Structure formats: C-alpha cells, structure tokens
Amino acid sequence: MFAVTAARFDDDDPLAGLVLDDRPEPVPEPGWTTVAVKATALNHHDVWTLRGVGVAAERLPIVLGCDAAGLDEDGNPVVVYAVIGDASRYRDETLDPGRSLLSERYDGTFAERVAVPRQNLLPKPDALTFEEAACLPTAYLTAYRMLFSASGLQPGATILVQGAGGGVATALIVLGRAAGYRVWATSRSEEKRDRAVALGADQAFASGAKLPERVDAVMETVGQATWPHSLRALRPGGRIVVSGATSGPAPSADLARVFFLQLSVVGATMGSRDELGRLVRFCEQTGVRPLIDRTLPLTQAREGFAAMASGDVFGKIVFTL
Ligand SMILES: NC(=O)c1ccc[n+]([C@@H]2O[C@H](COP(=O)([O-])OP(=O)(O)OC[C@H]3O[C@@H](n4cnc5c(N)ncnc54)[C@H](OP(=O)(O)O)[C@@H]3O)[C@@H](O)[C@H]2O)c1
C-alpha cells in the first residue's frame, strides 16, 4: 500500500527524511482493527518526528500521521482517536504514562490503511465530510481541551490566541468564538491577522503588541517567541494554557510576575476519547467546521510538509486518498 514515512531524522532539513513509497499492509494486533483511510490531516507533530522529536530511532522507518477519517472493516464511516492509552487505569488515556500517539510507536495514518485499537473508532456523522472529520483528532481535540477543560473559563471571558495561523490556533479561534468567548489573536503576518478576524477573532494584533486590556487566559502553542508577551497579557489571577512550543521550549519563566500576579500555567495534551466524542457533537450542534487551508492528494504530501515547515499555513492541511 502507498504510505508516507519518516525514514531518518534531520533536525536542520526535516523533509530530507520524508519518503513516499509502498509499505507492507498493517497487521492488526488482538483487539485492533484496520481502517481504510479516506482523509488525514497534517500536524506539526509530523514535522517534529522528521526532526527526531518524540520517536525512537530504532522505530524507523515509521508511517507518519496522527489523524484519520475513513471506513471500518464493515464499511462504516469512522473517525480515529489518535491516542493509544489505557483509560481504565487512569483518569483518561492521555494520563497513561505508557501512552503514545499514532506514528510514535505504531504506524500512523498517512497510508491507505492503518491498524488501530477497535475502541479508538468513533462514528463519523454525515454532517462532517471525511476531510473535516480528519482535522478533529489532534489539533481540534487539543484546542477543545485547552478551551473547555484546562482554561477554567466561562463563556464571555476574553482569551488571547498566540500565532493565529496554526492548525491548533485556528481551531482555538473557531471553537472559542462558537462557545461565546471574546477571542483576540496575534500573528506575525498582517494577512494572517486579517484572516483571523474574518474567521471569528474579535481583534488581531501584531505578535508582541500591547493589548487594549489584559485577558483572562492565553492559549499558547508558539512557546519561546511569544511567552514573555503571554505573561504580560494576563490579568492578575489569569492563566496560560500551553500545549506546544513551536519556536522553542525554554522561555524565561519571569517568576516574579507569576507569583505577584498569582498567574497559573496549565499544560494540555490532546484530549480523551470522550472529549473527542463531545467535540464531534459540538461541531454538529453549532455548525462549526474545521478551517482547511488546502487539500492535497496524499501522493503530494511533500508540498504540504514544505508549507508547514516554512510557516506558510492558515488552518489545516488535509491529505486525501
Ligand atoms: N500537546 C499536544 O497534544 C499538541 C497537539 C497539537 C499540537 N501541538 C503542538 O502545538 C504547536 C502548534 O501545532 P500546529 O499543528 O498548530 O502547528 P502549525 O500549524 O505549524 O502552527 C504553527 C504556528 O505557530 C506560529 N509560530 C511559529 N513560529 C513562530 C515564531 N517564531 N514566532 C511567532 N509565531 C510562531 C505561527 O503563527 P503565525 O504565522 O500566525 O505567527 C504558525 O502559524 C506545535 O509545536 C505542536 O507540536 C501539541
């Protein structure tokens, strides 16, 4: 079957290890099943993998991709939950210390077929296309948890989304807007700031700009480049919810500001299978749909990877089969 794999790591030139070719068919483990992939979405996670982050070298070559929507073995439309973890022993799958995402230990979704635990399948509603449904399991689920589980906020609160153009960031804007938050966003690019407002942000600001007032919470995925601004942007008692650090993971902590203003910093990673089910229903109920930057056949995956690696993206990049 056709698949997109990471064959080797290269921190400076991640696309150097990207291989598009034929791979053996997946062999499901006991309790697992096979999904015929109809659509899959690119995440920064796939670029991190090519750079050698989060995957052991002895696991190479590994099929990339965390997200999938497709058909189960009986031909039913399904969405694939990407976390392989044990929810019965921990509060949810993401808290299982042995958990992994598809494409970390087991082959991922950038392939004609992918093997997954049977319990990781959710029905795909007719209201969502395969392309839309494929955007939900990673970026949209992470945004859902950041907004509704980790932020501690209620509708009407003001949030700041850093780095508006990203997959998670655009998800934060559309889901936050639909839930009744006042959504402010930052971007390095004027064009992306305009697009953020068109997407539903109330206002958009240049990265690092002084804001009209302080916000209740900041949604962080950029990391080092925006962290000092995120700390300055918070009202006393405010909260940063952080799920990523694209520009670097080691910003200055500015502890004096953290304790004087009684700020909190909360980490968020993916979401539970139950949260994915609620996210699917949220999309159905509100009419909200994932923002897709572009759709490409999986055979042209290299073009999508190049766009993401250079930051030339506004929304999700989707691959179809
Ligand atoms: N913890 C989890 O479960 C989880 C889940 C999903 C994603 N993540 C992480 O979250 C991050 C975002 O993921 P994604 O898939 O949304 O990535 P993406 O689509 O590539 O988004 C990256 C965005 O970050 C902003 N950015 C990047 N470098 C920047 C810099 N130096 N200064 C300012 N802004 C910068 C850009 O926004 P502008 O161009 O608009 O400024 C860009 O659009 C990644 O690091 C990813 O690994 C974590």
Side-chain angles (χ1 to χ4, degrees), residues 42-48 99 101 138-143 146 162-170 186-189 192-193 207 220-226 242-248 268-271 307-309 311-316:
L42 181 63
N43 291 288
H44 215 95
H45 184 278
D46 302 301
V47 177
W48 288 124
R99 70 163 159 84
L101 294 191
T138 300
Y140 275 71
L141 180 59
T142 302
M146 292 172 78
Q162 298 280 22
V168 178
T170 48
T186 68
S187 176
R188 298 165 294 177
S189 133
K192 288 188 191 177
R193 293 196 288 276
S207 300
E220 254 295 353
T221 60
V222 179
Q224 219 155 296
T226 51
V242 54
S243 72
T246 310
S247 64
T269 281
M270 302 294 282
M308 176 164 279
D312 175 25
V313 59
F314 192 85
K316 295 296 297 171

Side-chain angles (χ1 to χ4, degrees), residues 130-210:
F130 284 104
E131 289 84 348
E132 290 165 344
C135 298
L136 300 183
T138 300
Y140 275 71
L141 180 59
T142 302
Y144 181 95
R145 172 167 280 194
M146 292 172 78
L147 290 168
F148 306 129
S149 308
S151 75
L153 297 180
Q154 294 178 350
T158 302
I159 62 166
L160 179 69
V161 177
Q162 298 280 22
V168 178
T170 48
L172 288 162
I173 294 171
V174 297
L175 298 177
R177 174 69 186 214
Y181 293 140
R182 183 165 64 154
V183 180
W184 291 353
T186 68
S187 176
R188 298 165 294 177
S189 133
E190 186 175 358
E191 189 205 333
K192 288 188 191 177
R193 293 196 288 276
D194 291 345
R195 294 181 73 180
V197 171
L199 185 62
D202 295 90
Q203 291 188 68
F205 306 90
S207 300
K210 188 168 168 31

